[in-house]
Amino acid sequence: MGVSVLSSSGLPGGISGLLQVASVLSLLLLLLKAIQLYLRRQWLLKALQQFPCPPSHWLFGHSREFPNDQELQRTLKWVEEFPSACPFWLWGSFARVQVYDPDYMKVILGRSDPKANGSYRFLAPWIGYGLLLLNGQKWFQHRRLLTPAFHYDILKPYVGFMADSVRVMLDKWEKLASQDSPLEVFQPISLMTLDTITKCAFSHQGSLQLDRPSDPAEEGSPAGRRRAGEGQEEEALGLPGHPPLGQREYGLHFRDHLDKMPYTTMCIKEALRLYPPVPGIGRELSKPITFPDGRSLPKGIVVALSIYGLHHNPRVWPNPEVFDPSRFAPGSVPHSHAFLPFSGGSRNCIGKQFAMNELKVAVALTLLRFELLPDPTRVPVPVTRIVLKPENGIHLRLRKLPKTYGVQDGL
């Protein structure tokens, strides 16, 4: 009885003592963390002293100067004010250096620094660790394994599947265009792209764009074969009435014409310059780096390759906000800019030829069937997410064109 009384009476004091110890330990941990953050900030200030930037708040950094949805506007402003590169303080003890000069980028892309984690780490549960997220030797092994699959000759047969996916989208647009109202095209184009990838990469039979199953009565007809994904390149791109691309002697002849679209290619590249799908790429320096102008950064600094900033840099592109396809006329692009619009170095886009083929097919087929007019009441507003996308969609007015036979470049 006496023992239980003593133990119960001493319990509150024991709990109080434990709480006091826990409080002291918590305060010590907080103090230790504050010291670490302070030392980190001082190290960053010293490491970035060669790179001027706008004044930043000691805690909030530059985040209060521009909201998240104005990141592109901030980039354009700093590109004009600070040559080559500019530090961006996310908060008190974390900063990254934005780079938007081609000579700076060539130095970084010529190295093997790992990708900065950033937002990419959130993709891992969905897409796993493939070429996008891997680094080092494992990335090199995967890249070497996949490279033959993207050889130019390997990609040629995919043109027919690309055309099939585009036709499904255009057929749906044709029905909607008669309603004489603007059409939002960003989502349908995204779905068409996904449709093409599932056909080419996974041999998917069918079309993700169709919102109903194929009519059994249509099986065996050209439309039915397209819906079921069984048609093999039924007609030449933009050449109605010609033999199907499935006939080898004509199919190979047509596919070779993708290289004979210089003006269309120039327009595509200029559009990608103005609106790069990936606005930036992060690298964490694995060793010190020195740039052509003598400025340097130590190991451990996160460098953001601002593709959007480079594409809109007035020191690189005169009148950068003007759409001018002649910038990409053969022989007119300086060598230092040659990695546009698919990056460069060892980690250049492995699927760039696939993407260019798909863009050429989509542009050619679309402009053979429709005249596209912007909706002045809903101008697209680009915003930065993992990729560049329109915040409010892309709204166009479509006017159906009379059916024509034959294609000439210049679309």
Side-chain angles (χ1 to χ4, degrees):
M1 186 66 159
V3 173
S4 62
V5 171
L6 289 174
S7 60
S8 61
S9 62
L11 189 59
I15 293 177
S16 177
L18 289 175
L19 290 175
Q20 289 177 2
V21 172
S23 299
V24 171
L25 289 176
S26 299
L27 289 174
L28 288 175
L29 289 174
L30 287 174
L31 180 61
L32 179 61
K33 189 63 178 178
I35 293 174
Q36 290 178 339
L37 294 176
Y38 174 78
L39 294 176
R40 170 73 180 180
R41 177 175 174 82
Q42 295 305 306
W43 178 79
L44 284 171
L45 288 170
K46 183 177 180 180
L48 304 179
Q49 61 184 352
Q50 300 179 45
F51 297 85
C53 70
S56 63
H57 190 271
W58 68 271
L59 177 60
F60 299 108
H62 291 116
S63 59
R64 296 199 302 185
E65 183 178 355
F66 290 93
N68 289 336
D69 59 352
Q70 295 184 15
E71 182 176 347
L72 298 178
Q73 291 86 335
R74 182 202 70 222
T75 298
L76 295 180
K77 179 180 179 182
W78 289 5
V79 165
E80 292 186 1
E81 293 182 8
F82 305 100
S84 304
C86 178
F88 171 62
W89 290 83
L90 281 78
W91 53 288
S93 60
F94 186 78
R96 64 189 182 198
V97 179
Q98 289 193 128
V99 174
Y100 34 78
D101 178 87
D103 294 326
Y104 271 48
M105 285 193 173
K106 285 178 64 178
V107 174
I108 298 171
L109 292 171
R111 294 161 42 116
S112 56
D113 299 301
K115 279 192 173 183
N117 283 328
S119 57
Y120 284 107
R121 67 180 184 273
F122 298 111
L123 296 177
W126 299 335
I127 66 175
Y129 283 91
L131 284 182
L132 180 63
L133 301 182
L134 284 175
N135 288 297
Q137 185 63 26
K138 195 170 183 180
W139 171 87
F140 179 76
Q141 292 172 350
H142 283 222
R143 174 71 178 233
R144 186 170 57 181
L145 181 66
L146 287 174
T147 296
F150 289 90
H151 188 274
Y152 179 77
D153 291 332
I154 298 294
L155 296 179
K156 281 184 179 180
Y158 294 153
V159 171
F161 295 111
M162 295 173 180
D164 284 342
S165 297
V166 174
R167 287 193 192 98
V168 172
M169 179 185 72
L170 296 180
D171 289 344
K172 298 178 74 172
W173 284 8
E174 196 164 305
K175 297 176 182 178
L176 296 173
S178 60
Q179 300 175 7
D180 193 29
S181 60
L183 178 66
E184 202 287 311
V185 300
F186 178 74
Q187 294 299 333
I189 291 175
S190 299
L191 187 58
M192 178 272 294
T193 303
L194 178 61
D195 200 4
T196 299
I197 292 174
T198 57
K199 289 179 180 178
C200 297
F202 306 111
S203 301
H204 175 71
Q205 299 296 312
S207 174
L208 300 177
Q209 301 176 80
L210 298 175
D211 50 13
R212 65 175 180 86
S214 300
D215 186 344
E218 294 178 339
E219 293 183 2
S221 68
R225 288 196 299 273
R226 282 198 295 271
R227 285 198 176 92
E230 298 168 1
Q232 294 293 315
E233 308 165 290
E234 291 178 345
E235 64 178 14
L237 170 60
L239 297 173
H242 280 272
L245 284 179
Q247 299 181 11
R248 185 175 181 82
E249 67 276 7
Y250 185 79
L252 294 179
H253 171 74
F254 167 71
R255 289 190 289 257
D256 288 338
H257 279 68
L258 287 178
D259 290 335
K260 300 177 175 63
M261 303 171 65
Y263 186 71
T264 301
T265 303
M266 290 159 54
C267 289
I268 291 173
K269 289 186 176 182
E270 175 66 351
L272 290 172
R273 181 193 68 81
L274 280 169
Y275 304 104
V278 180
I281 305 171
R283 293 285 191 270
E284 184 174 348
L285 299 183
S286 57
K287 56 184 178 180
I289 187 172
T290 300
F291 296 109
D293 59 5
R295 294 193 289 183
S296 60
L297 290 170
K299 173 184 175 181
I301 292 292
V302 174
V303 177
L305 306 180
S306 178
I307 306 299
Y308 189 88
L310 172 64
H311 288 191
H312 293 258
N313 190 337
R315 298 176 183 83
V316 179
W317 310 97
N319 301 317
E321 304 307 315
V322 176
F323 181 82
D324 181 9
S326 66
R327 303 179 200 270
F328 290 92
S332 66
V333 181
H335 177 69
S336 59
H337 313 155
F339 55 81
L340 300 177
F342 295 102
S343 187
S346 60
R347 298 194 69 145
N348 67 324
C349 179
I350 193 174
K352 60 183 176 182
Q353 188 61 53
F354 181 94
M356 285 300 296
N357 287 351
E358 185 179 13
L359 282 165
K360 291 177 184 179
V361 170
V363 169
L365 278 177
T366 300
L367 294 183
L368 279 170
R369 293 175 64 172
F370 297 103
E371 178 184 3
L372 308 178
L373 301 172
D375 180 3
T377 64
R378 284 180 283 191
V379 178
V381 178
V383 293
T384 301
R385 299 294 181 258
I386 293 177
V387 296
L388 192 70
K389 61 178 298 183
E391 184 179 33
N392 56 339
I394 300 176
H395 296 82
L396 299 175
R397 292 185 177 275
L398 277 61
R399 185 174 70 85
K400 186 179 176 182
L401 298 176
K403 196 170 185 179
T404 58
Y405 292 83
V407 175
Q408 60 182 0
D409 190 31
L411 298 176

